Amino acid sequence: MKKSERLNQELIYLSDKKVFHLKELEEHFAISERTALRDIADLEQLGLAFYTESGRNGGYHLTNSKLLLPIRFNTQEINAIFFALQAIRGISETPYSNAYDEIELKMVKSLPQNLQEQVKLQKQLVHFYSQPSLNEVKFFATLLKACIDNSLIEAENFQFVQGKQKLQLLDIFFQAGNWFCHAYNLDLKKWYVLRLDKFEAVRVLPTETKIMNKEPLTANLQKYEENYYQVPYSCLLTENGEQKVKYNSYPIMNIVHDAGKIYLQGKYNREELHYLVDYLISLGSDVQVLQPSELKKNYLTKLKQIMKKY
């Protein structure tokens, strides 16, 4: 690791500490005592404020519990940041959509002239044709905050249940042009995958109601999926089919390589069989349904319905 990179890592490492000892830096960054002392001197030059105390409880005491020192990026890291900004613009629907241009402007202004020209050239030559968000999400900021804060919400989303629902959101994810969330319905004790653009009303509820923390909530979802998705299936994929699945798949799907062949495997619930059939149809000739017979039968029925249109 280069010295400049190590100093940045040390700043991050110390960011939430009030006191540290020389031995900590030596062990955490695998450096000698001599190097650690030089690094501390360099960190002080960068603006790290501390005082030393000797004795059993001594060490380096930081005068600020939160470090507000600038982190230095190398050229490769700067390019990576602007790549990420260009890519995320393709997902137009986020709570921060209007901030990307301002972020880029501030970052470019802070760069030396030669790097500004490099970033400008990169924008001209590198393009991201990603899948944009297809639908407006009215309550994105509220739903995102509720998910991060682990708050209980009262919401209307009529995909599966009519009327108001008490929901706890585990996560939020973007797939195939739409934003989704894993939502736990406290009244029905059931999990749903809900589209964020389908929320008609959202209200954050007071914290009196007892809800699960993220870790037991995740475990609850895993257990629910084990019981809910009980019918195993297997399909044969071409190499092109594998790429299609990787581009657009679901967490309960697995790609398996065995004896030179590529398989799509997983489990489904019979209530959602038609969703799986529609997904497999979208793979075209790059998939062959192997089992179970129930899935194969429904798949062929759907193909016949399509053929009748011609």
Side-chain angles (χ1 to χ4, degrees), residues 74 77 128 214:
N74 60 35
E77 291 166 338
F128 292 86
K214 290 292 187 184

Side-chain angles (χ1 to χ4, degrees), residues 146-147 150-151 167-171 182-186 190-191 211-224:
C147 183
N150 202 32
S151 301
L167 302 173
Q168 188 178 356
L169 308 187
L170 174 62
D171 57 15
H182 284 103
Y184 181 65
N185 187 307
L186 270 71
K190 290 186 66 174
W191 281 93
I211 57 176
M212 290 180 278
N213 293 326
K214 290 292 187 184
E215 189 173 334
L217 191 65
T218 301
N220 185 289
L221 173 60
Q222 292 173 346
K223 185 176 180 180
Y224 181 87

Side-chain angles (χ1 to χ4, degrees), residues 178-205:
N178 284 297
W179 286 98
F180 298 85
C181 67
H182 284 103
Y184 181 65
N185 187 307
L186 270 71
D187 295 323
L188 300 178
K189 308 298 183 188
K190 290 186 66 174
W191 281 93
Y192 297 99
V193 176
L194 302 176
R195 272 175 46 182
L196 298 196
D197 61 286
K198 295 295 184 181
F199 279 87
E200 298 297 330
V202 177
R203 181 171 69 92
V204 179
L205 297 175

Side-chain angles (χ1 to χ4, degrees), residues 88 139 218:
I88 203 168
F139 303 99
T218 301

